[in-house]
Amino acid sequence: MTLPRRSVRRGQAEMIGLLLIVIILVIGFLLYVRFSLTKDDGPSAKERFDKTQLGTTFVTSLAKTDIPCGALTAPLQELIVDIASGDTSCPAENAVDSAVTAILHDTLDMMGKNYLLRFVRRTRDDQTEPIGLPDYTNSAYEGRECTPRSDAVAADIYPVPALELAFPVEIRLYLCS
Amino acid sequence: MTTRNAQIQFGESLMVVIVLVFILIIGLVFYFRVSSVAVMDEQRYREDIMSVRLASSIPALSEIQCGQFTCKGDVCIDRLKMTSLATVLAPTGAYVAQREYYERLFGHATIKLHLVTGDDAGEEFTLYHDPPPADWSRARQYLFTTLCNPVTERQELAYLNVTRYMREVDG
């Protein structure tokens, strides 16, 4: 038994209508998926500013802060040069270590930042090595430890001005998310 | 029989129109939702920029920046200048015109300076305080600086705690 020609044509028209509706729904769904996936979940302008400016201002200010060392008081950057050059006119290592520990406790630790602070000297082959001070991190931070190779790390480097040193000394602060 | 056919065809046409209207409504709802999210994102971005601008402008104010001969430094605040400015900005002070100028400059905000090192470590100076009339949301930012006493020429580490109040963004 064959269907009349009119019924076949009508069936085809309905199929095309149905197909059109399905296509519209698929396009709508794809648009929805596209907009939900491309929504910018990156750091906001404020977060970016926090990360960059906080680190930059911290290392710059820290370097110029006066630290008591023996009977004298000197900017931290001068004491670092003394440590790097082996000058032991005052126990600079102890003075810097205790001052930096106290400063970090009252600032970046209290702000809940995940960081790594290093005092390094550049070597002949453009690598870095510690000048004799330990690496400072936030021990109270519960999460992945901050390293120079961490994801979403912002590095701030302050080159300590010292013409008497053969290799430049730097204060490096890494702020991780 | 023809009436019955016509009724069926009318029903079909009606269903098609209903489905099309339904799809159109979903499309419009989706479009307006995307638009409103974009507007809110833009507003948040602008608020962020305003907060960033306010925070970064404080250490750059010539009214409190360190001078050329003492306490040199890119990020350095003169203690004597800062104390003078805090006196001018005090809500109970007599400097009404000057305070209005800074209110236009800073808007609703609170600017505090927290000392980290030195004899006054742990102390906090309130430089400016203009809270909003209602319970607005707030964005807080920290910026490190040194506070220099030009008399002793000692530089102490300090940080600026800048809170900017904003009208709540719905959503």
Side-chain angles (χ1 to χ4, degrees), chain B residues 148-161:
Chain B
C148 180
N149 186 340
V151 180
T152 59
E153 290 197 31
R154 274 193 66 154
Q155 293 210 51
E156 308 295 359
L157 185 70
Y159 63 83
L160 283 160
N161 178 351

Side-chain angles (χ1 to χ4, degrees), chain A residues 6 10 14 21 24-25 28 31-33 35 39-40 44-50 53-55 57-58 60-62 64-68 73 99 102-103 106-108 110-111 113, chain B residues 5 8-9 12 16 19-20 23 26 30 33-34 37 41 45 48-49 51-52 55-56 72-75 114 116-117 139-146 153-159:
Chain A
R6 205 176 149 191
R10 208 178 139 196
E14 281 178 3
I21 290 171
I24 290 170
L25 285 175
L31 276 174
Y32 174 75
V33 169
F35 280 111
K39 196 184 164 209
D40 185 21
S44 66
K46 184 182 163 298
E47 285 165 343
R48 283 198 301 273
F49 174 83
D50 277 350
Q53 289 298 302
L54 190 78
T57 55
F58 181 80
T60 313
S61 306
L62 181 70
K64 284 164 186 160
T65 300
D66 284 325
I67 304 285
T73 297
I103 286 169
D106 293 342
T107 53
L108 298 181
M110 224 173 60
M111 292 171 193
K113 301 291 175 191
Chain B
N5 264 343
I8 291 168
Q9 279 183 355
E12 280 178 357
V16 168
V19 167
L20 284 176
I23 290 169
I26 289 176
F30 178 68
R33 212 170 146 226
V34 168
V37 168
D41 282 351
Y45 177 75
D48 277 358
I49 294 292
S51 301
V52 166
S56 55
K72 290 171 190 171
D74 305 329
V75 279
H114 188 100
V116 181
T117 61
R140 181 169 292 169
Q141 266 161 336
Y142 298 106
L143 271 183
F144 285 94
T145 182
T146 52
E153 290 197 31
R154 274 193 66 154
Q155 293 210 51
E156 308 295 359
L157 185 70
Y159 63 83

Side-chain angles (χ1 to χ4, degrees), chain A residues 13-175:
Chain A
E14 281 178 3
M15 283 298 288
I16 290 168
L18 194 65
L19 196 70
L20 273 175
I21 290 171
V22 170
I23 287 170
I24 290 170
L25 285 175
V26 167
I27 289 172
F29 179 73
L30 286 176
L31 276 174
Y32 174 75
V33 169
R34 185 188 174 278
F35 280 111
S36 33
L37 285 181
T38 55
K39 196 184 164 209
D40 185 21
D41 287 323
S44 66
K46 184 182 163 298
E47 285 165 343
R48 283 198 301 273
F49 174 83
D50 277 350
K51 219 171 180 182
T52 53
Q53 289 298 302
L54 190 78
T56 308
T57 55
F58 181 80
V59 286
T60 313
S61 306
L62 181 70
K64 284 164 186 160
T65 300
D66 284 325
I67 304 285
C69 183
L72 302 165
T73 297
L76 185 123
Q77 59 184 4
E78 286 180 18
L79 297 178
I80 286 171
V81 172
D82 285 352
I83 295 170
S85 61
D87 183 349
T88 53
S89 52
C90 74
E93 272 181 43
N94 293 341
V96 170
D97 184 39
S98 56
V100 168
T101 306
I103 286 169
L104 288 170
H105 178 264
D106 293 342
T107 53
L108 298 181
D109 287 7
M110 224 173 60
M111 292 171 193
K113 301 291 175 191
N114 186 19
Y115 64 85
L116 169 68
L117 180 70
R118 274 181 170 167
F119 298 91
V120 294
R121 107 167 33 89
R122 282 197 170 275
T123 56
R124 201 178 297 276
D125 52 352
D126 212 27
Q127 299 294 307
T128 57
E129 61 180 22
I131 59 165
L133 289 165
D135 288 349
Y136 299 89
T137 55
N138 186 352
S139 52
Y141 186 81
E142 292 170 0
R144 197 172 287 180
E145 198 173 307
C146 189
T147 69
R149 287 181 183 79
S150 296
D151 291 336
V153 65
D156 290 288
I157 300 169
Y158 179 84
V160 178
L163 294 173
E164 64 268 38
L165 293 177
F167 298 107
V169 176
E170 295 171 350
I171 304 174
R172 291 185 167 212
L173 177 71
Y174 301 94
L175 276 174

